[in-house]
Structures are given as structure tokens and as C-alpha cells.
Amino acid sequence: MEVHSMKQKSLKERLARGEIVLGSWCVIPSPAAVEIIGYSGFDFVIIDSEHGPVAEEKAQDLVRAAEAAGIASIYRVAGNDPSLILRALDIGSGGIQVPHVSTEKEAREVVEAAKYYPGGKRGLSPFTRAARYGLDAQGYTGRANDRTSVVLNIEGVEGLKNLRKIVNVPDIDAVFIGPYDLSQSLGKPGQVEDREVISAIRQSVKISRARGVACGSFARDMRYADILLDCGIRYLTYMVDSAVLLNGYKTAGESVRKMIARAGIK
Ligand code: 3PY
Ligand code: MG
């Protein structure tokens, strides 16, 4: 099995064992950004085509960069659409993350689109990058099913209400509680530290863990990461490449400006 498949399998296996895995988000469509995330010690990168501008052709290079840097890749598709899920997986990304899943039926639809027979009915072609353009055709569907991670974003009150049924659907590796969309759904847009949001995350961890499904979320700073870990989050995503760049440049710019001002006074 090629090295990258092993990385992907190991992400799934670590989630199944209840380990904490650490990822970050890529919205800057540059292979360099993905390599930097990989070289910085993260376990996986989420290529974001819901809120990021990246489309499949570019995403394919980002997946290659993840492979080169030795980390797993997950592709967040723009919506729960089998053709988007198929394209995301056929370029070779190791898994998909699907926004705004609210019902058991929607969860089943995601799994059906992401898995080949017998677990689903993902469209089959052996000529894709995922199948190494045909080189891997022998036994490919089984191997793809084994390594493909399925992550569902639960980020609204309806999804929370249906979570027990959603985590009963086979072949889900993690549910991801999106704090931003959830805060909006609770009528408190952007208030991700609100008590109701945190308590929904804590409750979701309990429900999913009882079914052996990992629960994930997103932290924009260390304080929030601490809160999420305290809630029992296992699929932890920290920071977005654009925010890291912004914070870094802002801090650097402010420091140098202060230095320039001091130099000017002398
Ligand atoms: C949310 O907070 O809604 C997310 O989807 C995190 O990216
Ligand atoms: Mg969201």
C-alpha cells in the first residue's frame, strides 16, 4: 500500500481508537500552505471548498502537497451533493467533510456517495488519481472504502436534535460540531463561547462517543482549544492558514512600526 494510504488509514484508526488528532484548515489555495501545515506537525489538513475558493483542479495539487508533507487530507465539500463528494474523492483526497448535515437520511446519503459497494454506491472509475490512474484497479474499491474518512458537520439545532440517529449510521468516522454555524442556529451568531454553544458541544461528545464515533470541532485560539478538549473533542482542528498569516503579519507589522516610531524620536 502506498505511503499516503497508510496515513489516511492511520487517521481513521486513530479516531476509532479514541485518540486525539490535530488538523488545520487550508483556504489559501497554495501547495506551500499545505506543506507548511504538514511540516509543522499537524496530523491532517482540511481543504476547504465550502468557505474557501478552491476547486477540484487546484485541490488535486493541494492533496499532492499533503502527500509530500506526510499528512492526511480531508476535503470539505461545498454541500451534501454526491457529485461534489465523488470529485473530492476521485482526485485522491483521503476523506470528505460535509457541511450542514441535519438528518439521518442526509447522513446516509453522504455515506452512500463516499463508499463503494457494499457500503455505498460511489461512482466507479479506475482511471482516477485515487486509483493511481488504473495501476491500483485490482482490489481498489475495498482499499478505498477502508481508507476513506467520512466526517459530518452537525451545526444546527435540527442536526443536534437528530444526532443520536445520525451517529447510528454505519461508516461515520467523526461528527464535527461547527461552532460558528451552531451559534447562528441558536440565534447568537458568532458567539462561539456562549454557554448554550459549549453545552451543545459537550452533549454532542457524549452522544457520539456512546456510539464509538469521534466528535470534532474548530478552535480559533488556544483558550477555545482548551475548552474543546475539556468537552472531549477528539478531531480537533486549530486555526486556518489565512488567519495564521494575518496574525503573524499583524504582529510583525505592529512591532516594526513601534520600532520605527522609537527610531524616529531619537
Ligand atoms: C463552523 O464553525 O460552522 C464551521 O464549519 C467551522 O469551520
Ligand atoms: Mg460551518
Side-chain angles (χ1 to χ4, degrees):
M1 190 189 295
E2 76 268 38
V3 174
H4 188 60
S5 294
M6 283 161 60
K7 286 278 170 204
Q8 291 298 159
K9 251 192 115 180
S10 113
L11 183 74
K12 272 177 84 75
E13 286 166 357
R14 289 179 64 192
L15 285 171
R17 283 200 295 267
E19 288 180 29
I20 297 171
V21 294
L22 176 63
S24 193
W25 293 80
C26 174
V27 299
I28 299 178
S30 154
V34 172
E35 284 179 316
I36 289 167
I37 293 169
Y39 297 153
S40 303
F42 285 75
D43 299 308
F44 66 100
V45 61
I46 305 177
I47 298 164
D48 191 9
S49 78
E50 184 196 12
H51 290 295
V54 61
E56 288 88 357
E57 193 174 341
K58 187 68 188 185
Q60 184 162 261
D61 287 338
L62 303 185
V63 170
R64 288 187 178 113
E67 292 167 12
I71 53 169
S73 59
I74 301 285
Y75 192 126
R76 177 160 78 173
V77 291
N80 189 358
D81 174 336
S83 63
L84 294 179
I85 292 171
L86 179 63
R87 288 170 73 83
L89 291 174
D90 276 1
I91 61 170
S93 57
I96 39 118
Q97 187 159 331
V98 178
H100 296 284
V101 174
S102 301
T103 64
E104 179 190 351
K105 178 173 175 287
E106 288 168 7
R108 286 193 189 281
E109 285 164 358
V110 172
V111 174
E112 223 166 63
K115 299 286 173 150
Y116 294 111
Y117 177 88
K121 44 185 182 196
R122 172 176 165 189
L124 177 60
S125 161
F127 304 107
T128 61
R129 181 168 186 278
R132 295 214 294 166
Y133 310 105
L135 273 179
D136 275 359
Q138 190 71 27
Y140 160 69
T141 56
R143 283 197 305 279
N145 280 354
D146 277 355
R147 72 175 174 228
T148 301
S149 302
V150 173
V151 182
L152 308 180
N153 276 27
I154 309 297
E155 41 195 357
V157 286
E158 199 191 350
L160 288 181
K161 194 175 74 177
N162 292 322
L163 187 58
R164 274 194 179 78
K165 288 184 189 151
I166 291 173
V167 291
N168 258 332
V169 173
D171 281 332
I172 292 167
D173 297 285
V175 289
F176 176 100
I177 314 303
Y180 284 93
D181 277 309
L182 182 58
S183 69
Q184 175 163 256
S185 181
L186 291 167
K188 300 166 179 178
Q191 295 173 46
V192 295
E193 294 197 17
D194 183 86
R195 271 189 28 220
E196 236 187 313
V197 175
I198 308 288
S199 114
I201 294 175
R202 206 177 282 284
Q203 186 61 15
S204 303
V205 169
K206 281 199 190 119
I207 293 170
S208 46
R209 195 181 272 179
R211 288 297 308 166
V213 174
C215 195
S217 194
F218 166 75
R220 65 178 168 190
D221 56 33
M222 290 294 281
R223 222 167 72 86
Y224 207 68
D226 198 29
I227 293 173
L228 293 181
L229 288 170
D230 185 61
C231 288
I233 288 297
R234 293 287 181 265
Y235 177 88
L236 179 65
T237 66
Y238 183 64
M239 277 299 202
V240 179
D241 54 5
S242 56
V244 173
L245 197 63
L246 177 73
N247 292 348
Y249 267 116
K250 216 166 156 290
T251 308
E254 282 163 8
S255 310
V256 177
R257 287 273 171 223
K258 277 187 197 144
M259 199 181 280
I260 292 170
R262 280 200 301 274
I265 288 164
K266 271 186 215 155

